[in-house]
Amino acid sequence: MTAQNSPRLRDLAAQHGFYVGTAVHTGAFTRAEAPYCDLLKREFNVIVAENMMKFVELSPAPDTYAWNAADALVDFAAANDMKLRGHTLVWHQQLPQWVTHRSWTPEEARSLLERHIKTVVGRYRGRVWAWDVVNEAIADTGGYRSDSFWYQQLGAEYIALAFQWAHEADPNAILYYNDYEAEGLSPKSDSVYELVRDLKQAEVPIHGVGWQMHLSEGWRVTAEHRSNAERLRGLGLELSMTEMDVRLSTPASAAQLESQARSYGEAMELALETCAALLTWGFTDKYSWIPGFRPGYGAALPFDADYQAKPAYTAMQQALLGAAQTAPLDQGA
Ligand code: XIL
């Protein structure tokens, strides 16, 4: 079955008030590549910029903002009735050199961050559904990530400040903390939980937690994922799967693609129970960060490099259809 003559993920998702989406590749999008943009519009009802809204992309030089690509993405989302996730305001990576290669007093660093957040969130006020306000602030072994520019400049206080500033700039945006390898139970996911719990207790405007879901072959949903989801949601926070991919050693065999499909199907089932959205980090193997960052691995996304649907696509569709049996498809049609 090709994607062309089967129900679109976005229509199936919409029946559940759910959002299924993907990260958008700068090159394919700005060149307006036809098969890429057609599939993007066809299948998804939420998008996020893979890179276009990161600090280095938006502000390559002091007091200079380059909005073109990000503006085009915001317009594209609106024109195609898609929600938009903003990614990301505060991160230790993809910072411009003009920020990292000079010294700042704490006051200067603080106003730099405040200005950046308010400029970006303010520009897109009312047009961004959810912002990844702070990305990857927790270390792999738990505790704060100490190799972060922002942590080094401002201490852990930068996290609460960032949420406050984002909220001031767009009081209606849903504000997320986003991180990787914090989906199950581990010292890292404990630290994420404690961080967001403390922020909530301090009445900092935080509304959601993003599980990035950069997974590898053989990943399955376990009871740990459910209990982690439960404790986070117990804080009154929403949850989303924000950057899913499932890397395979390449070239991938048919058995590997089937195993990958199970990962996607199980993730979609869990997301329908516990999350507001599931986004993959790209949708075609033609444009995926995996081969560049993990040599020897790839084939991580639901469409192959020729835009053909893989078993992973069908598994997500089936999970959405399966859930549709309890919420009839003709409802509200
Ligand atoms: C990655 C992009 O996919 C690459 O193109 C870029 O060179 C580096 O960043 N976690 C995140 C994303 O939050 O922003 C990262 O995206 C992948 C890991």
Side-chain angles (χ1 to χ4, degrees):
M1 191 199 289
T2 68
Q4 245 46 43
N5 48 31
S6 64
R8 318 188 303 169
L9 298 182
R10 65 177 293 167
D11 292 337
L12 297 174
Q15 299 295 328
H16 308 289
F18 185 76
Y19 292 88
V20 59
T22 189
V24 178
H25 184 264
T26 312
F29 178 73
T30 51
R31 290 189 299 271
E33 277 188 32
Y36 182 93
C37 292
D38 292 348
L39 206 48
L40 184 60
K41 289 187 226 178
R42 190 191 129 83
E43 293 293 337
F44 305 106
N45 59 356
V46 55
I47 51 175
V48 60
E50 181 177 1
N51 288 299
M52 288 174 266
M53 289 191 181
K54 292 173 180 174
F55 204 142
V56 69
E57 299 294 322
L58 287 181
S59 183
D63 299 315
T64 306
Y65 277 86
W67 299 113
N68 285 356
D71 282 1
L73 191 73
V74 173
D75 291 342
F76 180 89
N80 293 288
D81 195 21
M82 295 161 149
K83 299 278 193 195
L84 184 77
R85 297 192 89 259
H87 176 86
T88 176
L89 299 169
V90 192
W91 191 26
H92 63 287
Q93 288 188 33
Q94 290 179 275
L95 286 170
Q97 291 211 348
W98 68 263
V99 168
T100 53
H101 283 45
R102 58 154 275 193
S103 60
W104 303 82
T105 66
E107 294 70 32
E108 286 170 338
R110 197 181 145 114
S111 74
L112 165 73
L113 186 60
E114 177 174 7
R115 205 147 26 93
H116 177 69
I117 290 175
K118 290 189 172 170
T119 302
V120 176
V121 178
R123 181 175 184 89
Y124 299 125
R125 181 184 174 120
R127 308 189 74 192
V128 171
W129 181 45
W131 271 107
D132 287 333
V133 177
V134 176
N135 198 35
E136 304 180 354
I138 298 295
D140 291 354
T141 49
Y144 293 113
R145 173 187 291 281
S146 56
D147 64 350
S148 158
F149 172 83
W150 301 112
Y151 184 82
Q152 287 165 5
Q153 298 294 320
L154 299 169
E157 199 202 1
Y158 81 89
I159 299 172
L161 289 172
F163 281 95
Q164 303 280 12
W165 292 327
H167 186 64
E168 283 169 38
D170 187 349
N172 293 319
I174 305 172
L175 305 183
Y176 268 72
Y177 176 77
N178 191 52
D179 214 327
Y180 64 89
E181 283 173 20
E183 295 92 9
L185 295 176
S186 64
K188 179 166 182 175
S189 74
D190 288 347
S191 289
V192 169
Y193 171 76
E194 286 156 17
L195 169 66
V196 299
R197 179 199 63 198
D198 292 351
L199 291 170
K200 278 293 276 184
Q201 265 164 18
E203 293 182 22
V204 171
I206 177 173
H207 314 115
V209 172
W211 285 354
Q212 289 186 7
M213 305 274 289
H214 293 294
L215 310 173
S216 56
E217 188 181 342
W219 183 88
R220 300 290 176 258
V221 169
T222 68
E224 287 193 9
H225 299 111
R226 290 181 194 281
S227 49
N228 195 28
E230 213 168 286
R231 69 175 171 171
L232 292 167
R233 282 160 48 96
L235 296 170
L237 294 168
E238 71 171 45
L239 198 61
S240 285
M241 298 184 185
T242 52
E243 306 185 11
M244 184 169 177
D245 47 26
V246 183
R247 60 185 176 272
L248 304 176
S249 57
T250 48
S253 67
Q256 285 177 291
L257 294 175
E258 288 303 330
S259 168
Q260 178 184 58
R262 260 188 78 185
S263 305
Y264 274 99
E266 291 190 10
M268 182 61 84
E269 283 169 13
L270 179 62
L272 283 166
E273 285 169 41
T274 62
C275 293
L278 185 160
L279 289 86
T280 56
W281 205 238
F283 57 95
T284 164
D285 292 334
K286 185 173 182 184
Y287 300 112
S288 163
W289 73 306
I290 294 294
F293 280 74
R294 306 261 187 176
Y297 292 84
L301 293 167
F303 290 88
D304 71 16
D306 297 318
Y307 298 103
Q308 296 304 303
K310 292 160 64 178
Y313 172 86
T314 312
M316 289 199 285
Q317 194 180 49
Q318 290 305 311
L320 287 161
L321 280 164
Q325 284 162 9
T326 48
L329 268 178
D330 56 353
Q331 245 178 31

